[in-house]
Amino acid sequence: MLKTLAPFDFSELAAVQTAFAECEILPLIQGWQSGLTGLPATAQLGWHNGCIWSLGTLTDADVFNDATADNQNTWEMGDVFEVFVRRFDSDAYTEAHVTPNGIRLHLKFPNRATIALARSGQLDGDTLKCDPDEIIAHAWRTEKGWVGLLGVPVEADHGEKIRVSVCRYDAHHDTNGEPDVASTSNHAVCDFHRPDDWPEYTVPIDFNR
């Protein structure tokens, strides 16, 4: 079961880290290959005020993202911390991003087939973008990289199941290759949009509502 977080000031890193202090630390992995490519990262999950909250601690030697406004295609522009979430009994899911400079991306997919349509060009991906103000996102630079925080509303009550996956893009200025990517899900292939791979969690009692 997820831990219920006490009320906290989500704009202050120290307060955020204190709120998550007793939450399990989850490594971001690359299940599709034998070893980790790139620098390590971890995530912690909690529940507060009707939202799934994720805190990512990301080692990064080249912190950047060139996005300048919310709901740009952040994953194409540099480093990203992201969360996927869906109710266990629903095919729809939400994807939320934050960049090191605090830019947000909010996407909603009505079903798992939608991503294939968007990737093939049969669907305009911009139609999946939603109000970024519906999510909460903050980011802070650290000596070893950066920290990202995301709060995503979920229509789920105590005892219900949700699936959650936390991922990262670690881009590099000095190479023309793909960014290093990793996830808390044990994906057999390098594709984050595989909801059956996302770990299942039980929603706790929310004392904050």
Side-chain angles (χ1 to χ4, degrees), residues 123-176:
L123 175 70
D124 182 355
D126 285 345
T127 64
L128 304 173
K129 294 176 179 178
C130 300
D131 184 357
D133 288 336
E134 293 178 0
I135 63 174
I136 298 170
H138 287 277
W140 301 267
R141 294 289 297 268
T142 65
E143 289 185 2
K144 295 184 178 181
W146 64 290
V147 170
L149 174 72
L150 284 165
V152 182
V154 187
E155 293 185 2
D157 295 322
H158 170 238
E160 293 184 326
K161 305 290 186 181
I162 60 175
R163 287 187 179 272
V164 184
S165 186
V166 183
C167 313
R168 74 159 322 173
Y169 282 72
D170 183 11
H172 313 285
H173 274 116
D174 58 353
T175 67
N176 295 319

Side-chain angles (χ1 to χ4, degrees), residues 73-188:
N73 291 351
T74 53
W75 72 95
E76 298 175 344
M77 307 174 78
D79 301 319
V80 169
F81 177 63
E82 65 181 10
V83 174
F84 295 86
V85 59
R86 76 175 180 95
R87 286 178 56 99
F88 188 78
D89 58 357
S90 173
D91 206 31
Y93 62 91
T94 297
E95 178 181 356
H97 291 201
V98 65
T99 69
N101 50 333
I103 298 295
R104 301 168 296 181
L105 172 64
H106 184 199
L107 302 167
K108 289 187 178 180
F109 296 81
N111 54 58
R112 68 184 67 195
T114 306
I115 185 62
L117 296 175
R119 286 170 172 169
S120 67
Q122 299 177 68
L123 175 70
D124 182 355
D126 285 345
T127 64
L128 304 173
K129 294 176 179 178
C130 300
D131 184 357
D133 288 336
E134 293 178 0
I135 63 174
I136 298 170
H138 287 277
W140 301 267
R141 294 289 297 268
T142 65
E143 289 185 2
K144 295 184 178 181
W146 64 290
V147 170
L149 174 72
L150 284 165
V152 182
V154 187
E155 293 185 2
D157 295 322
H158 170 238
E160 293 184 326
K161 305 290 186 181
I162 60 175
R163 287 187 179 272
V164 184
S165 186
V166 183
C167 313
R168 74 159 322 173
Y169 282 72
D170 183 11
H172 313 285
H173 274 116
D174 58 353
T175 67
N176 295 319
E178 294 295 317
D180 294 316
V181 298
S183 172
T184 53
S185 299
N186 189 22
H187 293 301

